[in-house]
Amino acid sequence: MHVFRRVLTLGAASVVGLTSLSPATAQDKQYSIAFVPKLINIGYFNAMQQGAEDAAKKFNVKFVYNGPTTADANLQVQIVKQLIAQHVDAIAVAPDDPAVLAPALAQAAAQGIKTFTSDTDAPSSSRLVFVNQALDTAIGNATIDSLADQMGKQGEWAIDSCGPAAQNLNGWIVIEKKRAAEKYPGMKLVATVYSGEDQAKAVADSRDLITAHPNLKGILGQCTTSGPGAAQAVTELKKIGKVFVTGVALPSGMKQYIENGASKSFVLW
């Protein structure tokens, strides 16, 4: 298994927020810093929550973690507005849709709340800092190389992404398409679907991809739910060894599919 490792915790973002708030020190005031993930209760954002909580204890910061249970930018906006009403000192967001979140971030900034992004950016918003887990080029190149290795650099492939407006996922897709066209001319992209950070939907969408494209040889899962979802679909349809799965995923989500052969490699960013 190829593992590409970059370390990110929201603790780093918390430090950025803390140091940019004012010349005062943490001893003068206990700052409150909030993080709004794309959604709660998935492994990736659970890890970010833990990192932030650890950092909050170290720096005497009050940390607030709140996000929607489904990937919905409008629900994120509601949460940001609630945090504004609570007069927190800083808000970090992983925007499901940067354009939808931008006005809420501007509202926060207008009230003196420091805003920043993590995991995925909103570059046209008022955010002060973006904490990135890895470069788009590194992630995009690693994922398509992993899929090409499994497919023997030949055949039809598809992308199972998550939110269609997610800036980070779309950035990776651009890199993947470009590298595939330049380095793997024997591979043909036949479809891109969006499963919305929902593993059950990723299973269903991947099953549909395999059914609709009988010559499909590879699926690239663009986020931590679509990779395992695609591998589960391959397993259920008894396509192991015929359709290969890779993508951006956590070891906990892909372990069983590495073991059963539905995936030979994936990328941990």
Side-chain angles (χ1 to χ4, degrees):
M1 177 178 68
H2 303 295
V3 177
F4 300 80
R5 188 183 304 274
R6 292 295 294 260
V7 177
L8 168 70
T9 69
L10 191 62
S14 298
V15 176
V16 172
L18 177 64
T19 56
S20 64
L21 286 170
S22 78
T25 65
Q27 286 71 31
D28 297 325
K29 172 186 176 181
Q30 184 182 48
Y31 291 113
S32 57
I33 298 177
F35 177 52
V36 183
K38 288 180 181 176
L39 75 168
I40 60 173
N41 297 327
I42 64 171
Y44 174 64
F45 288 118
N46 289 345
M48 292 183 72
Q49 178 186 7
Q50 183 62 58
E53 290 174 349
D54 291 344
K57 293 176 183 177
K58 181 177 180 180
F59 292 101
N60 189 31
V61 168
K62 179 183 178 182
F63 175 63
V64 181
Y65 181 82
N66 192 8
T69 56
T70 58
D72 187 327
N74 290 311
L75 293 178
Q76 285 187 304
V77 169
Q78 293 177 22
I79 292 169
V80 169
K81 289 185 176 180
Q82 292 170 5
L83 293 168
I84 293 171
Q86 294 171 23
H87 304 291
V88 298
D89 295 294
I91 300 173
V93 184
D96 191 63
D97 186 328
V100 173
L101 265 294
L105 294 177
Q107 181 182 346
Q111 297 195 29
I113 298 172
K114 307 301 182 181
T115 61
F116 50 105
T117 53
S118 184
D119 173 62
T120 184
D121 198 12
S124 298
S125 72
S126 59
R127 65 102 173 103
L128 297 173
V129 173
F130 169 45
V131 179
N132 195 9
Q133 66 270 46
L135 298 178
D136 285 357
T137 50
I139 296 174
N141 289 344
T143 49
I144 192 62
D145 288 350
S146 173
L147 187 63
D149 287 345
Q150 295 186 58
M151 293 175 55
K153 304 178 183 179
Q154 297 287 331
E156 296 181 356
W157 64 289
I159 294 172
D160 189 341
S161 191
C162 290
Q167 187 268 344
N168 58 340
L169 307 186
N170 290 337
W172 303 343
I173 289 173
V174 169
I175 298 299
E176 291 157 357
K177 289 180 177 179
K178 182 175 183 291
R179 189 170 180 86
E182 293 175 349
K183 193 171 180 180
Y184 308 115
M187 293 172 58
K188 179 183 178 182
L189 178 63
V190 294
T192 301
V193 297
Y194 299 92
S195 297
E197 307 275 357
D198 184 331
Q199 186 165 329
K201 189 173 187 305
V203 175
D205 288 346
S206 295
R207 290 177 69 99
D208 290 344
L209 284 171
I210 294 169
T211 301
H213 302 277
N215 295 321
L216 191 68
K217 198 173 179 182
I219 301 176
L220 197 162
Q222 208 67 55
C223 67
T224 58
T225 54
S226 59
Q232 182 178 337
V234 167
T235 301
E236 292 176 352
L237 292 175
K238 301 186 186 305
K239 293 290 184 177
I240 293 174
K242 297 178 180 179
V243 180
F244 301 93
V245 176
T246 192
V248 174
L250 298 176
S252 57
M254 292 298 288
K255 180 178 183 291
Q256 63 180 305
Y257 303 114
I258 291 291
E259 291 176 343
N260 75 6
S263 177
K264 293 182 178 179
S265 66
F266 64 93
V267 176
L268 175 63
W269 62 130

